[in-house]
Amino acid sequence: MSWEPEVTEIKRRKKAALAMGGEKNVKRQHDAGRLTIRERVDRLLDKDTFHEVGGLAGSATYNPDGSTASFAATNVIYGRGKIDGRPVVLAGDDFTMRGGSAEAGNIDKLRHTEMFAKEYRLPLIRVVEGSGGGGSVRTFEEIGRTYMPGGNQSGSYSYLMADAMATVPVVALGLGPIAGLGAARMVASHYSVMVRDQSSMFIAGPPLVARAGGGKLTKEELGGAKIHVNAGAIDDAVDTEDEAFERARRFLSYLPSSVYDLPTRIAPADDTERRDESLLSIVPRERRKVYAMRKIIESVVDKGSFFEMGKQFGRSIITGFARVDGWPVALMAGDPMHYGGSWTAAAAQKIIRFVDLAGTFHLPMVNLYDCPGFKIGLDAEMAGTVRHATRAVFAICQYQGPWCSVIIRNCFGLAGGAHQPQGRLNFRYAWPSARWGSLPLEGGVEAAYKSEIEAAADPKAKLVEIEARLEALQSPLRTAETYDVEDIIDPRDTRPLLAEFVNLTAPLRPVGPASWGLRP
Amino acid sequence: MAKVKVATEAAGNVWKIVVAVGGRVDADEPVMILESMKMEVPVNAPKAGTVLEILAPEGTAVGEDEVVAIIEAD
């Protein structure tokens, strides 16, 4: 007698799992314009690479003779697959099974997704929809008691997420309504994406908010993609699920599979000696006029390789991955269009998260610097800017990989000092448009020459005269004379110099888990 | 002919209206210039057309992503 009956039953149950929450619920998912988790897995991963784990977990009912009457799988889909030929771990919520809620879930399965990714050093992708495995009040009645959040000290899910994040790249895609633990699973990632007009995310949904006196809001009003990308809770918003999958693949393409590995170079497809003529005049001589930093970025990195992240948050800083001579780099730049490039509290938080991301996965940093300082004013003081910005200074100082700064224009004050990690030798260049000091000329003259200006017959003319005198001193060449800056370069040489930097420092990229000290 | 919104990318004060109501503007050319941290930040038209309405006159403080003008696209 063989084990054929059992094998048949295994196959039957696995087939039942593929039907998810049944025709009616699948149709409802499709009618809402959303894909099912099985369709998502197929579109996200390389073709036919998904190997499911725990597909037999679920709940069954039995006939009196012991045969199976029905089987419903859990709504946590877990398995391994490949993206661009590299193995990854995938954790997906099946919204067609009881709206992705915990009653149809399995917390051990969810925990294993994080543990497997960490222990086997594979990137983790969470496809989140619903409460993401979080509990609901109905659970209390089902189990006849309440329970301690995080479990009985045996390794809470939050701990496992923190452990995974410190070891492997974690991407979170939010593709429907998401609440509670699901929201935490979204932000506990290195890169997160929502779909506009389809995804929404909240700590608690509209009914709870209304009950707590927070007003009557729709899901979109309470936690639509725009709210979260502006607040920095989520990195990016896209229009379709396919775009979200593409972002996930692209993000991972710059990173190693874990902190124990290095980012991989691809065959260089762009000339490292390319010198764009436009760079010579892109920064206006008139100091009040702004320029498009993204054009400079596009011009100095490998063509089409810049992958910006978090564009809508902390907008005076631009952050993203790119490639130079095929090597992946982390790229950070000031954007003078926003508060002149000054560091707001939000921009500082963005810097901290980005520098930590680059440091964790051993990407060399290219910093195209233009910042007149921390943002000033009452709003800035009330936002705690000085603390957030000083934390950003610390994060930069604690970065341990190769670093190259190119000072494009403004470099002032404490923020100016943090254009690179201090206390070691970094690569550093300045453009002829660079200006530096303890504070910008525009702000400092009135204060420093107050009595001289007030005593003058024509104070306005005196101010102009002093400004002209000081302006003449501001040429970066004067600073280079004393070797306060190593080199002032022809802006067109930026790309060849960055190519030298990445090639020279590639062997020096440190491997292993990151750690850093206390921050204020 | 479609009405197109012109929105700010950054917060600031409206320093100068470059193209008044009735005037023509090219795509990616400024309708107005904001002043923010002593910098002149242009607010560009997403499409070429004629300015129908200026919603933020000179001296007004505007926020990020705020619609400050409407143009009738060509």
Side-chain angles (χ1 to χ4, degrees):
Chain A
M1 174 90 177
S2 78
W3 294 94
E4 186 64 33
E6 284 80 3
V7 170
T8 304
E9 178 59 14
I10 290 168
K11 282 183 181 160
R12 203 179 70 79
R13 289 189 176 200
K14 286 194 173 176
K15 201 175 163 199
L18 294 180
M20 296 174 281
E23 261 176 51
K24 203 172 122 199
N25 288 347
V26 167
K27 183 176 183 303
R28 190 185 297 160
Q29 181 82 354
H30 284 155
D31 288 348
R34 306 199 295 263
L35 299 172
T36 64
I37 185 61
R38 300 284 171 185
E39 290 162 338
R40 287 168 178 164
V41 169
D42 284 348
R43 293 197 191 200
L44 173 62
L45 301 179
D46 295 352
K47 196 170 162 35
D48 298 331
T49 60
F50 188 56
H51 173 88
E52 190 167 356
V53 180
L56 294 173
S59 51
T61 56
Y62 293 90
N63 298 313
D65 67 354
S67 62
T68 312
S70 72
F71 175 75
T74 69
N75 56 18
V76 180
I77 309 299
Y78 158 44
R80 305 183 284 273
K82 284 185 178 173
I83 284 185
D84 293 335
R86 289 165 57 194
V88 297
V89 176
L90 186 137
D93 299 336
D94 182 0
F95 198 72
T96 66
M97 295 290 285
R98 315 232 344 224
S101 91
E103 289 97 61
N106 184 306
I107 190 68
D108 282 334
K109 203 169 170 185
L110 199 59
R111 288 156 53 96
H112 279 202
T113 62
E114 306 283 329
M115 290 170 78
F116 192 90
K118 186 239 164 186
E119 291 183 24
Y120 291 88
R121 302 179 179 178
L122 301 176
L124 172 64
I125 302 170
R126 302 193 197 107
V127 180
V128 186
E129 186 173 14
S131 66
S136 109
V137 175
R138 269 166 56 171
T139 310
F140 298 160
E141 201 165 16
E142 278 175 25
I143 63 176
R145 62 178 175 88
T146 58
Y147 52 86
M148 181 63 77
N152 189 15
Q153 305 194 46
S154 54
S156 77
Y157 184 71
S158 305
Y159 169 82
L160 296 174
M161 286 199 294
D163 223 15
M165 268 194 85
T167 314
V168 298
V170 180
V171 179
L173 306 177
L175 306 178
I178 297 159
L181 180 63
R185 291 177 68 216
M186 284 300 295
V187 301
S189 65
H190 301 105
Y191 184 60
S192 55
V193 181
M194 283 173 73
V195 180
R196 288 185 199 93
D197 305 320
Q198 171 175 326
S199 315
S200 52
M201 182 180 96
F202 12 75
I203 299 165
L208 258 80
V209 170
R211 182 97 186 256
K216 211 170 156 21
L217 298 164
T218 64
K219 285 178 187 168
E220 184 70 19
E221 286 166 344
L222 180 63
K226 192 171 160 53
I227 285 177
H228 290 302
V229 293
N230 287 349
I234 292 296
D235 292 305
D236 285 320
V238 294
D239 289 318
T240 64
E241 293 195 31
D242 280 331
E243 280 175 82
F245 304 147
E246 178 52 35
R247 290 284 179 116
R249 287 190 288 262
R250 183 98 192 263
F251 173 82
L252 291 174
S253 73
Y254 297 89
L255 294 177
S257 292
S258 80
V259 296
Y260 298 101
D261 218 340
L262 285 170
T264 344
R265 184 187 196 184
I266 59 166
D270 194 2
D271 181 9
T272 54
E273 295 304 310
R274 180 164 53 74
R275 297 166 84 254
D276 276 354
E277 283 306 311
S278 66
L279 295 182
L280 191 59
S281 53
I282 196 162
V283 177
R285 294 193 74 96
E286 301 91 330
R287 307 199 55 74
R288 283 173 54 85
K289 296 219 185 309
V290 294
Y291 59 92
M293 179 60 95
R294 287 181 181 81
K295 284 191 181 160
I296 298 179
I297 296 172
E298 298 287 353
S299 155
V300 299
V301 302
D302 293 355
K303 269 197 189 107
S305 74
F306 184 52
F307 177 69
E308 184 169 0
M309 295 176 281
K311 188 177 181 183
Q312 299 301 318
F313 176 65
R315 293 171 76 172
S316 48
I317 287 289
I318 299 166
T319 55
F321 294 154
R323 287 184 185 270
V324 176
D325 200 21
W327 294 103
V329 299
L331 192 143
M332 184 159 75
D335 187 352
M337 301 266 188
H338 293 272
Y339 306 114
S342 59
W343 291 4
T344 58
Q349 290 170 44
K350 184 171 176 176
I351 291 169
I352 295 165
R353 189 155 166 261
F354 185 68
V355 168
D356 286 352
L357 171 65
T360 299
F361 294 109
H362 326 309
L363 288 161
M365 180 68 75
V366 172
N367 189 14
L368 305 180
Y369 196 85
D370 182 0
C371 169
F374 297 174
K375 185 173 182 290
I376 60 171
L378 178 61
D379 286 356
E381 303 299 346
M382 288 175 69
T385 305
V386 68
R387 175 175 301 282
H388 292 295
T390 306
R391 283 176 68 82
V393 171
F394 271 52
I396 288 167
C397 287
Q398 290 165 352
Y399 176 88
Q400 290 175 349
W403 186 290
C404 179
S405 290
V406 182
I407 301 169
I408 306 293
R409 200 187 224 179
N410 290 315
C411 180
F412 289 95
L414 198 55
H419 64 267
Q420 61 177 13
Q422 299 288 333
R424 63 180 221 191
L425 277 180
N426 301 289
F427 277 65
R428 176 168 63 180
Y429 302 101
W431 283 17
S433 44
R435 294 289 184 276
W436 37 61
S438 52
L439 77 168
L441 185 64
E442 291 85 347
V445 177
E446 278 109 327
Y449 292 86
K450 190 165 183 268
S451 52
E452 195 180 330
I453 292 166
E454 281 175 2
D458 183 349
K460 263 193 183 166
K462 191 72 189 172
L463 179 65
V464 172
E465 179 205 312
I466 296 170
E467 279 184 348
R469 215 163 68 206
L470 292 173
E471 183 64 39
L473 295 177
Q474 280 214 311
S475 160
L477 279 173
R478 289 185 179 240
T479 315
E481 286 166 16
T482 57
Y483 194 61
D484 243 21
V485 63
E486 295 78 16
D487 209 357
I488 317 286
I489 60 167
D490 179 336
R492 292 168 293 191
D493 291 337
T494 306
R495 177 170 164 78
L497 289 167
L498 289 180
E500 187 212 9
F501 161 71
V502 291
N503 281 293
L504 207 59
T505 59
L508 303 175
R509 293 170 299 168
V511 181
S515 70
W516 34 76
L518 188 74
R519 292 172 186 167
Chain B
M1 301 278 224
K3 286 185 181 176
V4 175
K5 291 173 182 169
V6 180
T8 59
E9 273 212 17
N13 286 303
V14 180
W15 176 62
K16 198 159 86 179
I17 304 292
V18 181
V19 183
V21 171
R24 275 201 45 81
V25 63
D26 283 333
D28 296 322
E29 287 298 317
V31 175
M32 63 178 65
I33 294 171
L34 308 181
E35 185 182 46
S36 170
M37 298 289 280
K38 296 209 169 206
M39 304 294 280
E40 296 170 16
V41 182
V43 183
N44 294 337
K47 288 185 173 167
T50 308
V51 176
L52 277 185
E53 253 183 292
I54 296 283
L55 303 167
E58 285 175 9
T60 331
V62 293
E64 242 175 57
D65 298 323
E66 193 170 320
V67 178
V68 290
I70 308 282
I71 58 174
E72 178 97 59
D74 291 347

